[in-house]
Amino acid sequence: MEGRANRTGNAQADAYANTGVHIGDVTINQAPRSEVRFAHIGIPLHTRPRWAEYPHRPDFLACEFSDRCERLFSLTSLIYDADLFFDLVLLNTGDSPAVLSKVGVWVEEVQQLIYMYGYPKASVIRPAADEYEIVMPAVRKQYKVGLMDHMTPDRVDLRPTCDLADPLYLPPQGVYRYTLHLKSYQRNMPNHAQVRLTAEVSGQEVCSPRLHVFTR
């Protein structure tokens, strides 16, 4: 529906067009809008033996990130070159349609801490349906840190994305479930990272809460 307003010649009244404000004899209607958010963030079933969600305990992890993380996802044991998968649901809570054109991840901060483990084992994780793949940038190589090196937290602000081959129409109250595959995550990233999941919806970026990813 298109919002309409009675015009009185009053510049102040005209300035409130499509805001839902009433001024004297002028009735302004608010235009419909879409409000898309991440309604679910989890670990896909086929990766749960390797990845799991844990309570976020900064004291136990020696987490030194400047901003608080809301959730923690971690490898259950050290696995070399493990990919990271997220099971995600986008929800359009608004009253107008939206168009999804990109999905991605926003890496805000990274840190490398030393932990003593045995030898890592290689692992293969099969791809899932409705999956978008992003090869993670080689942040570890950029900082020249290995498995046994230490680095303090540093802000990197990387935002790799994946364009959808065909934009997705998301109707009002519509949901879309997909898997985000972050390839070579363990190989390319320090063992602590603060990330957000992202989506480009109707030309605007939608972000999840901050997540702490720990690869041991």
Side-chain angles (χ1 to χ4, degrees):
M1 297 178 60
E2 180 181 356
R4 300 181 180 275
N6 299 319
R7 298 299 181 183
T8 65
N10 184 297
Q12 182 183 12
D14 293 347
Y16 278 87
N18 292 327
T19 62
V21 178
H22 299 271
I23 301 179
D25 63 343
V26 179
T27 301
I28 311 298
N29 297 324
Q30 186 171 7
R33 60 180 180 176
S34 60
E35 296 179 354
V36 177
R37 63 182 180 88
F38 283 91
H40 169 77
I41 301 173
I43 298 294
L45 181 63
H46 73 284
T47 67
R48 288 181 191 174
R50 300 175 177 89
W51 290 94
E53 182 173 5
Y54 296 93
H56 189 264
R57 293 179 51 193
D59 54 334
F60 177 75
L61 291 171
C63 175
E64 301 174 5
F65 292 135
S66 55
D67 296 313
R68 181 179 179 275
C69 303
E70 296 195 22
R71 299 171 66 181
L72 169 66
F73 296 92
S74 172
L75 280 172
T76 55
S77 60
L78 179 60
I79 302 172
Y80 178 69
D81 200 19
D83 295 349
L84 173 57
F85 292 79
F86 282 111
D87 177 22
L88 304 172
V89 174
L90 285 172
L91 170 65
N92 183 3
T93 63
D95 50 10
S96 67
V99 175
L100 176 67
S101 56
K102 289 183 182 180
V103 294
V105 59
W106 174 9
V107 184
E108 293 192 8
E109 278 192 276
V110 293
Q111 180 184 18
Q112 179 79 17
L113 294 176
I114 300 171
Y115 299 95
M116 299 303 296
Y117 298 116
Y119 295 102
K121 296 180 180 179
S123 174
V124 175
I125 301 176
R126 298 182 181 276
D130 300 321
E131 178 181 300
Y132 302 100
E133 179 181 297
I134 295 175
V135 179
M136 293 303 294
V139 178
R140 182 180 288 179
K141 183 179 295 185
Q142 174 186 337
Y143 285 94
K144 299 179 180 179
V145 291
L147 287 174
M148 300 306 297
D149 293 324
H150 176 88
M151 64 171 283
T152 57
D154 194 26
R155 187 162 292 273
V156 292
D157 199 26
L158 299 172
R159 303 193 186 202
T161 60
C162 176
D163 292 320
L164 273 63
D166 298 302
L168 183 85
Y169 175 84
L170 195 59
Q173 306 304 314
V175 297
Y176 176 56
R177 185 175 186 176
Y178 65 98
T179 298
L180 185 63
H181 176 185
L182 303 182
K183 188 172 179 59
S184 299
Y185 186 93
Q186 191 276 343
R187 176 196 292 180
N188 290 343
M189 297 290 293
N191 59 4
H192 290 268
Q194 188 179 76
V195 307
R196 294 177 188 259
L197 304 170
T198 66
E200 185 174 296
V201 182
S202 300
Q204 297 184 335
E205 186 179 54
V206 176
C207 296
S208 75
R210 291 186 181 91
L211 312 176
H212 186 157
V213 179
F214 174 40
T215 58
R216 299 186 178 270

